[in-house]
């Protein structure tokens, strides 16, 4: 086999998720992931630093996309509408990836260390969103509160979207979750 | 000295926070904490499992208090008002503890492992609040979204309350933060 394997990165990620689901994350080795993907360990380490990185590979790109959409929302948009634009943008990334997302979530939920990593990722996303809002001229504490509200919608909307019986696209679930958040905070 | 030391628990916690601030959390030993408090290591371990527990000692009680207040809010209260009652209840615990809270926060922020632990604590609190709201008959996703909104207010309000120049009591900061959250979500 040549040095460059077609879609090695994607094949390794798919093989890893399968094995984490079948045997558990802790019990799976990089050698097994490479073998399942029909690739070498060396190829694995050309793409990922370790078996944990396979799961968090897209996190940085996702945060950047979310922040970029908030930053580029029309100047006239209210902070919560800039966040809504960000939710629309990230939802597009998940089109066609519901089953993958379900598998990934099941692996994360089963492992305390991975859950910690996920919480840190989400906290970093919230900080990034608050920063983007401040750069739009939103004062504190409005910027942090709006960012946290956006992240609440993302977290709860994501859980709804990966539920067994759910068939709506993520963008729609996020819009409805944001509407619901507005409703519950307005009802007091 | 006798087996029972007056306020050993509080003296150990105070000594620990001082040392974590002076030398760093990682560099501080249980022996040093005990010595600073004028107590023995044995006494330390009668009160705390390890040096980390000193920092997270009150977390479970705080969550229970928050959940209890949400549970016991008037039946007619809207979900967000039940959360507001919870915020009032937890704020009482922090009266007179601003300097202690500032010191604790500085230690947590300086250490990745402690930050992870803090995020897990907050996620657990959110899950506990959502559960309390469901037991009040609030449907999903409203229960989870309201719980996340409440936690957003708690997190952001806490940061405001420990800021250097802040003099308002926590209960007031929390009320104003909740009002601000309502304003930012209503503005879209």
């Amino acid at each position: 086999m040549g040095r460059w394997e077609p879609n090695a990165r994607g094949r390794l990620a798919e093989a890893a998720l399968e094995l984490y689901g079948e045997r558990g994350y802790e019990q799976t080795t990089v050698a097994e992931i490479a073998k399942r993907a029909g690739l070498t360990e060396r190829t694995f380490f050309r793409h990922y630093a370790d078996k944990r990185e396979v799961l968090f590979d897209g996190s940085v790109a996702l945060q950047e996309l979310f922040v970029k959409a908030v930053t580029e929302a029309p100047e006239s948009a209210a902070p919560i509408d800039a966040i809504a634009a960000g939710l629309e943008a990230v939802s597009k990334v998940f089109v066609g990836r519901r089953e993958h997302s379900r598998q990934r979530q099941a692996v994360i939920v089963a492992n305390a260390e991975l859950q910690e990593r996920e919480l840190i990722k989400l906290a970093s996303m919230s900080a990034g969103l608050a920063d983007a809002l401040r750069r739009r001229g939103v004062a504190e504490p409005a910027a942090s509160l709006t960012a946290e509200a956006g992240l609440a919608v993302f977290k709860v909307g994501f859980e709804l979207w990966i539920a067994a019986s759910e068939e709506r696209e993520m963008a729609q679930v996020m819009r409805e979750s944001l509407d619901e958040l507005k409703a519950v905070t307005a009802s007091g």
Side-chain angles (χ1 to χ4, degrees), chain A residues 40-179:
Chain A
T40 63
E41 272 192 77
R42 198 175 151 156
T43 302
F44 179 94
F45 288 115
R46 213 175 289 138
H47 290 279
Y48 299 104
D50 53 38
K51 67 177 184 174
R52 195 178 74 164
E53 204 203 317
V54 182
L55 293 166
F56 294 98
D57 182 34
S59 300
V60 172
L62 193 72
Q63 179 173 333
E64 283 172 1
L65 182 71
F66 204 155
V67 165
K68 186 168 180 282
V70 169
T71 303
E72 294 176 355
E75 221 180 313
S76 62
I80 196 71
D81 292 334
I83 291 289
L87 289 166
E88 288 284 338
V90 297
S91 294
K92 286 191 187 121
V93 175
F94 290 94
V95 171
R97 290 174 67 80
R98 184 160 7 212
E99 197 46 42
H100 173 95
S101 299
R102 279 179 184 141
Q103 285 175 8
R104 178 182 179 278
Q105 191 77 350
V107 174
I108 304 260
V109 166
N111 182 289
E113 184 213 327
L114 297 176
Q115 278 180 283
E116 288 175 13
R117 183 77 191 73
E118 183 83 339
L119 288 172
I120 289 167
K121 189 199 80 175
L122 292 169
S124 161
M125 198 178 273
S126 174
L129 293 173
D131 197 44
L133 289 170
R134 283 190 297 268
R135 279 186 274 109
R136 288 176 63 89
V138 181
E140 284 296 350
S144 289
L145 285 164
T146 312
E148 290 283 349
L151 211 67
V153 170
F154 180 69
K155 279 160 69 177
V156 175
F158 188 84
E159 294 278 354
L160 290 172
W161 178 70
I162 59 169
S165 57
E166 186 57 61
E167 291 186 356
R168 292 170 299 168
E169 280 303 331
M170 188 192 275
Q172 192 190 339
V173 176
M174 291 297 172
R175 281 192 293 272
E176 292 182 20
S177 296
L178 179 54
D179 286 345

